[in-house]
Each structure stands twice: as C-alpha cells, then as structure tokens.
Amino acid sequence: MASTSSNHTTLIARQTEVSGDLHFRGNLVIEGKVRGNVSAHSDSDARLQIVDGGMVEGEIRVPHVVINGNVKGDVYATRHLELASKAMVEGNVHYKLIEMVKGAQVNGSLVSNVDMDSTSEPRMIEYSEDETVIEAD
C-alpha cells in the first residue's frame, strides 16, 4: 500500500498556529493548531494525524484520518477513520471504515458511507487564480 507520497511528512509542531486552508499529499501530523479546512486528494493515500494537544477548527476531507486531539468541524474520512482515546470531535463524522477507542467523544452524527465509491468521494477544492471575491455588507 505504500506509495511515493507516503514518504513525505509535514509536521505542524506544538505551539504553532496556522490560519488558512491546508491542501496536502502524503502525511500531515498536527501537534499545534490549525484554523481552516484540511483536505487531501481523495485518490491518494494521504494520512492526517491529529495528536493529543493538536486542534483543527474547520472541515477535514482526507482519505485516512487518525484523531487523538480536538476537531471543531465536520470530518470526511473517505477510507479509514480512527478515533483514539483522547479524540474530541464537535461536528458530524462521515466515514467508510471506523475504529473508535473507549474515551473518544463525538458531539455530532456518525454517518456511514460504506457504499461510497470513487465518484462520490469528496474531492479537494481547487481554486482559480482569477476568482473574484465579493464581501457582503
């Protein structure tokens, strides 16, 4: 199951805060705080790990997700989701395969997507450089 992208790991260290959306391939380990959406291409073997003390405030769309920290937002794990003993998720959790350890908490719905195929998997959002943003008053 190893692919070339699995050799690349990005670390967001403790006491580091990132504001903005993150799009990645390979592995992403969050020990600090991310305020924004976290996504990876659903056709990859991308893996997100949120360790104890790590936090994400935003939506997560990643094929393989391991949570042992805090998430405030919806989680879409298109292949595998692991909720470890210190996981705290405030949002809906969409998964294809789930492991949940005693002590993990979810304040939201657990939605099984066992019949999910590659055409219905959430895709990474792509942005055009010539998009126009209009703010409402």
Side-chain angles (χ1 to χ4, degrees):
M1 255 175 115
S3 69
T4 56
S5 67
S6 65
N7 295 329
H8 304 289
T9 299
T10 302
L11 171 66
I12 298 176
R14 294 194 191 284
Q15 300 180 6
T16 300
E17 291 189 23
V18 176
S19 295
D21 294 346
L22 293 177
H23 308 287
F24 73 99
R25 286 186 185 264
N27 299 309
L28 174 61
V29 179
I30 298 176
E31 295 178 349
K33 183 180 284 189
V34 174
R35 287 191 171 103
N37 299 327
V38 178
S39 62
H41 290 282
S42 59
D43 59 349
S44 70
D45 279 335
R47 181 177 189 268
L48 169 65
Q49 180 179 3
I50 304 169
V51 302
D52 183 19
M55 180 174 196
V56 173
E57 292 180 0
E59 184 178 88
I60 296 172
R61 289 182 180 265
V62 178
H64 301 276
V65 180
V66 178
I67 300 173
N68 199 28
N70 296 329
V71 175
K72 292 183 180 179
D74 292 345
V75 177
Y76 296 85
T78 56
R79 296 193 185 160
H80 179 256
L81 171 66
E82 180 181 332
L83 298 174
S85 62
K86 295 184 180 176
M88 175 61 175
V89 179
E90 296 178 37
N92 297 325
V93 175
H94 301 259
Y95 61 91
K96 189 170 186 178
L97 177 66
I98 190 171
E99 293 180 56
M100 191 168 181
V101 177
K102 180 180 177 181
Q105 299 177 43
V106 175
N107 185 8
S109 298
L110 294 174
V111 181
S112 172
N113 292 321
V114 173
D115 297 328
M116 185 182 295
D117 62 7
S118 61
T119 59
S120 63
E121 290 182 3
R123 297 285 179 190
M124 185 174 99
I125 299 171
E126 300 200 15
Y127 297 96
S128 169
E129 291 189 23
D130 55 327
E131 286 183 356
T132 304
V133 177
I134 301 172
E135 294 184 16
D137 292 324

